Amino acid sequence: MKQFFLLFASLAILASCGNQNQNQNTNEVKLPEITEPVAYQAWLEIAKSHGLEGKYICPENSTVRYAVEAENDEGAEGYMIDDLVSCYPYKDGGLFTVHSHVEAAEGQGGEFEYTFYNFKDGVLTKIENPLPIPEFADLLSDSEDAPLQEDMVARLENLFKSRPGDFVAYEFYPEENKIQAYLHPLSWGRDVEPDENGHYNWLEQFYEMRARPDKNTYKWNGEKFIKTE
């Protein structure tokens, strides 16, 4: 009788676990599959809003990610401009769209700018920044090969907490519905170059203290980005 009870209890637990897994799978939102070059289409609207009149090349495999390429664009020698558009589908329609713009002179870290939109039915609507900012400790390297100095950590933490949005950059992977965040000064001119008094905000040592971007990976769920384990 006791063995029968134990067997029955085990089966009940397995059934319960199976039901929980089934419920979890049922609750997962299936995001719309994107097959059209929506990132390219969004860029055309972004370019129009900035008064840009160039002709742009759309690769055959462009869907939710578009690295902007203009016809007959030779660029300026010693200067780089990168524009990237990444689109993540909302579960109820439309696309969360990020325009990442980076300008950099040769030998400099660059000026980063992120602009955010809801792109729906061909209409571009600007929205507030919804990207997550990791905790400071999560942005630091935990490598035993490069132990962190306490005084440097304290100085960087004070700088970060004074303006956290100015020191987190992102890598976008819309094909996988994810982003990665990492510690990085978004403005070379404001924080890396010395001011008129010779004061540096961002020190060279800080670059070596940063965690890899994949330590802070976030998945898009159709509404927002959720950190993965």
Side-chain angles (χ1 to χ4, degrees):
M1 183 69 179
K2 183 177 181 181
Q3 291 179 344
F4 176 78
F5 175 78
L6 291 175
L7 177 60
F8 180 80
S10 299
L11 291 173
I13 292 173
L14 290 173
S16 174
C17 291
N19 289 335
Q20 288 179 5
N21 291 335
Q22 185 176 8
N23 289 337
Q24 289 176 357
N25 292 333
T26 302
N27 291 334
E28 289 182 1
V29 176
K30 183 175 177 60
L31 298 178
E33 183 178 356
I34 308 298
T35 58
E36 298 297 319
V38 292
Y40 171 74
Q41 294 163 1
W43 167 251
L44 295 181
E45 295 303 312
I46 294 170
K48 186 188 302 182
S49 71
H50 288 283
L52 303 178
E53 299 179 351
K55 293 184 178 180
Y56 300 97
I57 301 169
C58 180
E60 291 183 2
N61 62 346
S62 176
T63 53
V64 292
R65 176 187 178 93
Y66 176 58
V68 176
E69 183 179 358
E71 293 182 2
N72 304 318
D73 183 14
E74 298 179 358
E77 185 175 352
Y79 198 77
M80 177 272 292
I81 298 178
D82 273 349
D83 287 288
L84 175 68
V85 178
S86 305
C87 294
Y88 298 81
Y90 286 111
K91 66 177 184 179
D92 296 326
L95 299 156
F96 167 60
T97 301
V98 186
H99 173 209
S100 171
H101 177 81
V102 184
E103 295 188 24
E106 187 173 354
Q108 294 186 354
E111 303 288 328
F112 290 70
E113 182 181 3
Y114 302 113
T115 314
F116 310 95
Y117 305 92
N118 180 353
F119 185 54
K120 186 174 184 179
D121 298 328
V123 178
L124 203 64
T125 304
K126 199 169 184 179
I127 61 175
E128 294 295 323
N129 181 359
L131 297 184
I133 296 180
E135 295 293 330
F136 174 71
D138 293 336
L139 293 164
L140 293 180
S141 171
D142 53 8
S143 172
E144 296 180 358
D145 297 331
L148 302 178
Q149 300 177 13
E150 290 185 9
D151 59 334
M152 287 291 99
V153 171
R155 180 165 177 171
L156 178 54
E157 183 175 14
N158 288 334
L159 176 62
F160 174 81
K161 289 188 174 180
S162 69
R163 295 182 278 116
D166 291 338
F167 297 100
V168 178
Y170 300 88
E171 294 180 355
F172 300 96
Y173 303 93
E175 300 89 348
E176 303 170 47
N177 281 318
K178 71 178 186 180
I179 61 172
Q180 293 179 346
Y182 62 101
L183 196 61
H184 192 81
L186 299 189
S187 174
W188 176 276
R190 180 184 58 229
D191 289 311
V192 182
E193 290 187 328
D195 61 21
E196 57 186 11
N197 297 318
H199 172 76
Y200 292 84
N201 289 324
W202 180 274
L203 304 180
E204 283 293 322
Q205 295 96 314
F206 294 163
Y207 288 113
E208 301 174 0
M209 297 167 57
R210 304 177 300 170
R212 301 187 315 273
D214 60 6
K215 184 178 177 181
N216 293 286
T217 299
Y218 296 82
K219 193 80 172 180
W220 176 251
N221 70 356
E223 294 180 326
K224 59 184 179 179
F225 288 99
I226 305 296
K227 190 169 185 180
T228 62
E229 298 296 333

